[in-house]
Amino acid sequence: MKEQPVNIFWFRRDLRVSDNHGFYRALTSGKPVLPVFIFDTNILNDLEDNDSRVTFILRQVQKLQELFEKQGSSFWVYHGRPIDAFKLLTSELPIDTVYANQDYEPYAIARDNHVETFLSSAGARLKLLKDHIIFHEDDVLTGGGKPYTVFTPYSKKWKEKLAEADLQPFPSEKYLSNLLQIVPLKTYHHADLGFRHGSFTAPPLILDTTLMESYALKRDFPASEGTSRIGVHLRFGTVSIRLVTALALKHSESFLNELIWRNFYIDILWHFPHVVSGAFKPAYDRIQWINSEKDFSRWCEGMTGYPIVDAGMRQLNETGYMHNRVRMITASFLCKHLLIDWRWGEAYFAEKLLDFELASNNGGWQWAAGSGCDAVPYFRIFNPILQMEKFDPDKEFVNKWVPEYGTSRYPRPVVDLDLARERALKAYKEALADV
């Protein structure tokens, strides 16, 4: 393996062979390519040992390894810190370029900068490509060259800017013969990583155009099968965003808007990384949260006494998924009615959601709390009873997840809605008095 210069393709959140931008650039670079994946202990060490996302990733890595071995190659997989992986790789191989698709989260940016510095010292380079969003960094800016902080004008500019070339696939699957020819390498299993098999099952990847066409009518009703459930596949890149966007453009304006929201929040995170730990609008960090541990536990367990909230939380706890309308209701209830810091809820969702994506999760929670860039006004407080009557009128969703609803076994409400609403309005007004 020492004789010939090679290129690396570093798989991260793009666990597919087809229409993979960075993989395509590596495979067509003129040098044999070794595919690499790193089970990053900087991330894994913060997870529970039965995290179902690890199971999902492991399965995808195993599938790719089987595919690469059929091509006479293999998957070089490492468990540890990325920098240590590349120190080992550069000691074993004459590496020219490491290709990877860009990630916009603060940890990923710092990680890539660290790796790039090391590779440069070793006579190699890191080349990052845009892959998991349509537009990135400064692609969509205002006329004054500033990042958008309100969704509607952002989405308008996004759509105006979209061209056929932005959706053209990169046919990486056609160039697998350019993989480095090596003997099969170690296959990783849960025990090798210190993990157990996760209890949540990820939904299969189904791109249902009929569902897209009815999406606008059904998307808000949690009892119906009206959403695509492809979030986990977008998160880990088992489907191409270009393919999904092209289908949405053809079949559903409403579905397309959801993809643009995802792009918007990733752009916000990249331009304003302080949102990871603080409010987009700093004044909202002055809110005096009550942060009752007891109330938070009841919310987490789905025992608040408000059926639509409890149904959503139980769905999350039992499946690793929560319907998007119910995510808004449960988040609003935590922040506004219980006056619990949105960061508590954000962290809980981050732990449980199979489709967790930092930008969207952070953006959604800040939207609900009123602290985000394009947030619901603080005085708009979802009434969970009215929300249930509107979006689950037959109690189909509630009865599925809260079977004791309507019996003496169902808990009494944790707060009085009217009193809690007034308490929230008072806390927000006091925090924002000087704004």
Side-chain angles (χ1 to χ4, degrees):
M1 293 171 70
K2 276 278 188 185
E3 291 77 16
Q4 55 180 337
V6 302
N7 286 334
I8 300 290
F9 179 67
W10 181 9
F11 281 89
R12 288 108 72 93
R13 49 182 303 175
D14 45 17
L15 297 172
R16 68 185 187 282
V17 163
S18 64
D19 189 15
N20 184 320
H21 189 184
F23 197 30
Y24 171 80
R25 296 299 178 193
L27 290 169
T28 57
S29 65
K31 295 180 176 65
V33 174
L34 177 65
V36 166
F37 184 82
I38 301 166
F39 284 103
D40 187 347
T41 50
N42 292 326
I43 297 172
L44 296 184
N45 288 348
D46 291 333
L47 304 179
E48 296 294 326
D49 70 354
N50 65 337
D51 194 299
S52 297
R53 291 164 294 195
V54 176
T55 298
F56 181 83
I57 293 168
L58 195 54
R59 284 178 175 167
Q60 299 307 315
V61 168
Q62 290 167 348
K63 287 178 184 178
L64 289 172
Q65 184 159 12
E66 291 171 6
L67 176 60
F68 297 151
E69 288 179 359
K70 288 178 182 178
Q71 300 292 324
S73 186
S74 192
F75 211 172
W76 194 93
V77 180
Y78 186 83
H79 179 218
R81 300 188 310 159
I83 194 67
D84 294 331
F86 284 102
K87 287 178 180 178
L88 181 58
L89 278 167
T90 54
S91 73
E92 294 183 344
L93 293 167
I95 297 171
D96 181 85
T97 303
V98 175
Y99 289 84
N101 288 315
Q102 193 166 352
D103 195 338
Y104 307 90
E105 297 180 2
Y107 166 72
I109 293 170
R111 173 201 63 200
D112 291 350
N113 288 340
H114 191 196
V115 169
E116 183 175 30
T117 299
F118 167 73
L119 289 173
S120 179
S121 71
R125 60 179 180 150
L126 176 66
K127 187 170 180 60
L128 299 176
L129 287 307
K130 177 178 66 175
D131 183 70
H132 80 266
I133 45 179
I134 300 299
F135 297 119
H136 75 162
E137 298 183 346
D138 293 331
D139 284 348
V140 181
L141 297 174
T142 68
K146 302 291 185 182
Y148 283 97
T149 58
V150 177
F151 176 73
T152 299
Y154 173 89
S155 64
K156 182 179 180 182
K157 184 68 170 286
W158 192 101
K159 291 173 184 176
E160 289 174 355
K161 187 175 177 63
L162 186 68
E164 188 175 338
D166 296 310
L167 303 181
Q168 285 297 310
F170 297 93
S172 38
E173 67 278 7
K174 295 181 179 179
Y175 296 92
L176 297 182
S177 60
N178 294 337
L179 289 170
L180 182 66
Q181 300 297 289
I182 55 174
V183 297
L185 301 173
K186 173 181 170 63
T187 300
Y188 274 75
H189 302 280
H190 284 87
D192 298 310
L193 305 174
F195 279 79
R196 295 179 288 131
H197 196 285
S199 58
F200 301 152
T201 301
L205 175 60
I206 301 173
L207 298 178
D208 187 341
T209 56
T210 301
L211 181 146
M212 286 186 181
E213 289 169 355
S214 62
Y215 182 76
L217 294 175
K218 295 182 177 181
R219 63 185 295 262
D220 282 319
F221 298 90
S224 71
E225 297 294 331
T227 58
S228 69
R229 299 295 305 277
I230 66 169
V232 64
H233 297 282
L234 288 171
R235 170 65 182 89
F236 295 111
T238 52
V239 66
S240 160
I241 188 61
R242 289 170 290 279
L243 171 61
V244 178
T245 303
L247 289 172
L249 197 63
K250 183 177 180 182
H251 294 281
S252 174
E253 180 82 5
S254 179
F255 197 94
L256 178 66
N257 283 336
E258 292 304 305
L259 298 177
I260 301 173
W261 268 108
R262 175 177 175 270
N263 204 150
F264 175 65
Y265 280 140
I266 290 171
D267 278 0
I268 289 294
L269 181 64
W270 189 80
H271 284 290
F272 306 99
H274 74 273
V275 299
V276 172
S277 56
F280 177 85
K281 302 170 185 172
Y284 282 73
D285 284 329
R286 301 202 299 258
I287 294 170
Q288 294 299 304
W289 306 105
I290 293 175
N291 287 342
S292 163
E293 294 274 5
K294 183 178 179 181
D295 288 352
F296 183 64
S297 293
R298 288 186 63 173
W299 178 83
C300 292
E301 294 164 7
M303 297 291 286
T304 68
Y306 288 98
I308 192 76
V309 174
D310 294 340
M313 296 307 297
R314 295 185 195 186
Q315 182 186 37
L316 174 64
N317 292 333
E318 294 182 35
T319 70
Y321 168 77
M322 189 194 296
H323 185 275
N324 190 58
R325 165 58 60 174
V326 187
R327 294 187 198 198
M328 292 189 284
I329 298 168
T330 57
S332 175
F333 185 81
L334 184 77
C335 300
K336 305 287 181 63
H337 286 105
L338 298 184
L339 262 186
I340 290 176
D341 193 328
W342 59 268
R343 282 161 284 226
W344 289 29
E346 180 195 36
Y348 192 78
F349 274 26
E351 177 187 333
K352 296 290 184 179
L353 284 170
L354 275 171
D355 64 5
F356 165 69
E357 188 165 44
L358 174 59
S360 295
N361 192 48
N362 180 276
W365 272 97
Q366 294 224 38
W367 181 90
S371 62
C373 57
D374 189 7
V376 61
Y378 78 84
F379 49 81
R380 182 184 175 194
I381 301 175
F382 285 164
N383 181 311
I385 295 175
L386 297 180
Q387 290 286 308
M388 178 177 67
E389 291 173 353
K390 184 174 182 178
F391 297 111
D392 191 33
D394 299 325
K395 313 298 185 293
E396 189 178 344
F397 178 71
V398 163
N399 288 329
K400 177 178 180 179
W401 295 105
V402 190
E404 77 275 23
Y405 171 58
T407 74
S408 60
R409 292 182 292 112
Y410 189 57
R412 294 176 61 83
V414 65
V415 289
D416 176 277
L417 290 181
D418 291 336
L419 293 177
R421 183 178 188 278
E422 291 306 312
R423 181 178 66 181
L425 290 174
K426 181 174 183 291
Y428 273 74
K429 285 177 181 176
E430 288 176 354
L432 304 174
D434 299 330
V435 177

